[in-house]
Amino acid sequence: MPDANATLKLGNEEKSFPVLSGSVGPDVIDIRKLYAETGAFTYDPGFTSTGSCQSAITYIDGEEGVLLHRGYPIDQLAEQSTFPEVAYLLVNGELPSKDELDQFTYTISRHTMLHEQLANFYRGFRRDAHPMAIMCGVVGALSAFYHDSTDITDPKQRMIASHRLIAKMPTIAAMAYKYTVGQPFMYPDNSLSYTGNFLRMTFGVPAEPYEVNPVIERAMRRIFILHADHEQNASTSTVRLAGSSGANPFACIAAGIACLWGPAHGGANEAALNMLREIGRPERIPEYIARAKDKDDPFRLMGFGHRVYKNFDPRAKVMKATAAEVLKELGKSDPVLDTAQELEQLALQDEYFIEKKLYPNVDFYSGVILNAIGFPTDMFTALFALARTVGWVAQWNEMISDPEQKIGRPRQLYVGEPQRDYVPVEQR
Ligand code: CMC
């Protein structure tokens, strides 16, 4: 039942539309009948005022800097939970009991290997291929190997596909790294944690035992948890839109990876570290702040600003603390971290950033951590994709199970030529 109505006056006609309330957060005006009743569409490029679906997975209050997964605050999850537990929570809706968690962790560990034939896909790429290019290709190719879980009308197949994606993503990302550095692929070790196994597949070699450093493992776990889901962002909306046509889950996640790659989204952590390196030393910061403020310069401070967070990004707080922890453990001092801290301080005192409510986002410090751990910059977005796969599959499952789900089909404001007659080439 609608909670209220909104009235729209178009010309001389007034139409009433239901206003719906969620459990928390702003109300929405239900305009599904707008076109049928008025013959007009809404215009909202970038969907800044448009809710595209109902969802019970993640809640963000950008003004207050709140991020909840199934109601649980992100900082509590990052501190106290594990990545498989967060995955279970996102996909199933509730925290698991001990038995449920053991069973889920076991199930995920049974799906960590890839079909051996998939290794040949890697060999078709150039050695200097970007890991995200490899991930798009290999994840898309999974549908050719796991066809027994592509019937999206069957909830059991959907769950198997979800488990496969969550389980195989670390293997796929680690293999992308190994391929570019020319080392042998490492098979998963299911006796390790989800994160420990990923670190071993990435940094271990078959010739030596690999010992997982618990501080690095914890940092990685936090990074994965902080990136697990973020409501209807660009890549998640891409997954939903691809999935709305009934496409198989592997193809949908490959579409999400493609969208995530962009520098305004998942590619920002790579771009932020490159920017910090380019700045190089704290004395050059004012020059870059001036460039970020200059309307005629396309430069933006990467790792700053967010479409939704207009107060602070709660993920950035955890990242900042983790960056300090990791550098201490590794006994490294990193001029990039010094530059980052100074840049943050100066920008936060600057009128331009204050007025536009621009704060460091999750990507500002994550690059510093990943760099210290030993990941090359072009792996950063691949790690984001690995973690976000959990959110993507949760959102995809939610969409497919939603009885109101329809194929996504936005409309447009057409500004091109009206109808005209074709002119043969010799008469033009
Ligand atoms: N540096 C300088 N100016 C900025 C920045 C920035 N990083 N971000 C926004 N602005 C300005 C922008 O120029 C605009 O100014 P004006 O009103 O005078 O035209 C104003 O702030 C509002 O920006 P917007 O682009 O309309 O805001 P948006 O909500 O569309 O953009 C954003 C959000 C994240 C794309 C943008 O802040 C940005 O490009 N940031 C840098 C890239 C980045 O760090 N992205 C990671 C996002 S977090 C990870 C994720 O969720 O994927």
Side-chain angles (χ1 to χ4, degrees):
M1 273 298 280
D3 300 300
N5 283 300
T7 307
L8 174 76
K9 191 155 185 276
L10 199 64
N12 291 328
E13 280 211 63
E14 274 196 7
K15 294 281 175 196
S16 182
F17 297 95
V19 175
L20 310 177
S21 298
S23 43
V24 269
D27 292 343
V28 299
I29 304 167
D30 179 352
I31 54 152
R32 280 175 289 182
K33 297 211 171 97
L34 180 76
Y35 178 60
E37 294 194 1
T38 66
F41 297 126
T42 55
Y43 179 60
D44 186 18
F47 310 118
T48 49
S49 298
T50 298
S52 60
C53 60
Q54 279 192 31
S55 182
I57 299 174
T58 291
Y59 174 72
I60 302 175
D61 182 337
E63 298 300 328
E64 296 297 323
V66 169
L67 168 58
L68 309 177
H69 290 323
R70 303 285 189 183
Y72 298 101
I74 191 64
D75 49 329
Q76 291 183 20
L77 293 172
E79 279 313 316
Q80 299 174 49
S81 189
T82 62
F83 190 68
E85 188 178 53
V86 172
Y88 183 99
L89 173 70
L90 286 169
V91 173
N92 295 292
E94 292 295 337
L95 283 171
S97 67
K98 168 97 179 57
D99 283 352
E100 285 165 340
L101 181 59
D102 289 348
Q103 181 58 46
F104 182 73
T105 308
Y106 175 78
T107 304
I108 294 298
S109 75
R110 306 312 288 175
H111 285 294
T112 49
M113 288 198 297
L114 295 188
H115 191 292
E116 200 59 21
Q117 188 67 11
L118 266 164
N120 293 327
F121 274 71
Y122 286 79
R123 300 198 170 95
F125 284 97
R126 286 167 54 129
R127 289 275 175 190
D128 61 357
H130 195 288
M132 286 297 273
I134 300 180
M135 302 265 293
C136 283
V138 173
V139 173
L142 291 178
S143 51
F145 289 82
Y146 303 104
H147 201 72
D148 60 332
S149 57
T150 53
D151 176 2
I152 61 155
T153 60
D154 176 357
K156 193 157 173 258
Q157 288 199 33
R158 287 208 302 274
M159 206 35 79
I160 295 172
S162 304
H163 292 158
R164 282 182 169 146
L165 279 157
I166 294 168
K168 292 184 199 305
M169 214 47 127
T171 316
I172 291 170
M175 284 171 71
Y177 171 72
K178 285 297 193 203
Y179 184 73
T180 56
V181 292
Q183 289 181 358
F185 296 142
M186 293 284 284
Y187 287 113
D189 177 347
N190 292 339
S191 68
L192 298 173
S193 71
Y194 187 90
T195 319
N197 176 45
F198 172 66
L199 287 168
R200 182 184 158 277
M201 285 191 292
T202 306
F203 297 119
V205 287
E208 286 173 14
Y210 178 81
E211 203 145 315
V212 180
N213 176 327
V215 175
I216 306 300
E217 188 182 16
R218 190 172 61 207
M220 234 23 254
R221 191 193 73 211
R222 281 191 193 145
I223 290 178
F224 285 167
I225 292 175
L226 293 177
H227 285 91
D229 192 49
H230 212 226
E231 207 232 60
Q232 308 311 321
N233 55 81
S235 58
T236 302
S237 298
T238 302
V239 170
R240 280 186 178 256
L241 198 54
S244 76
S245 73
N248 77 70
F250 305 105
C252 297
I253 302 303
I257 294 172
C259 177
L260 185 73
W261 194 357
H265 191 6
N269 50 15
E270 186 176 341
L273 185 70
N274 288 336
M275 176 196 74
L276 291 169
R277 281 190 178 137
E278 189 185 308
I279 296 175
R281 37 181 214 279
E283 307 86 83
R284 297 187 60 198
I285 292 172
E287 177 196 326
Y288 281 82
I289 290 189
R291 282 189 59 196
K293 289 157 57 175
D294 182 354
K295 279 247 159 279
D296 299 326
D297 189 330
F299 175 78
R300 283 186 168 197
L301 278 193
M302 299 314 284
F304 256 79
H306 199 274
R307 169 59 63 79
V308 180
Y309 295 118
K310 302 296 176 195
N311 178 334
F312 66 93
D313 179 342
R315 303 168 302 171
K317 282 195 165 174
V318 184
M319 280 297 180
K320 188 176 177 180
T322 307
E325 239 177 77
V326 166
L327 288 177
K328 185 164 170 244
E329 167 67 17
L330 297 175
K332 284 187 184 170
S333 71
D334 186 347
V336 168
L337 180 63
D338 300 338
T339 309
Q341 283 170 334
E342 179 98 15
L343 176 59
E344 177 185 359
Q345 216 180 12
L346 287 178
L348 292 182
Q349 291 163 2
D350 191 292
E351 258 318 300
Y352 174 94
F353 292 88
I354 296 169
E355 189 210 312
K356 294 190 189 304
K357 300 185 174 175
L358 299 169
Y359 295 84
N361 59 47
V362 67
D363 292 321
F364 193 64
Y365 284 104
S366 62
V368 177
I369 304 173
L370 296 173
N371 178 51
I373 294 176
F375 289 101
T377 30
D378 61 6
M379 270 300 285
F380 293 1
T381 320
L383 303 177
F384 191 162
L386 182 174
R388 184 55 57 84
T389 294
V390 164
W392 289 333
V393 299
Q395 301 267 355
W396 172 80
N397 268 301
E398 182 179 65
M399 178 193 66
I400 304 286
S401 332
D402 183 350
E404 294 194 349
Q405 187 265 327
K406 282 181 160 55
I407 186 167
R409 177 57 170 93
R411 304 305 294 251
Q412 63 174 8
L413 174 66
Y414 179 68
V415 293
E417 295 290 340
Q419 182 170 330
R420 50 182 168 167
D421 288 327
Y422 176 81
V423 180
V425 68
E426 54 283 359
Q427 291 170 30
R428 277 176 233 155

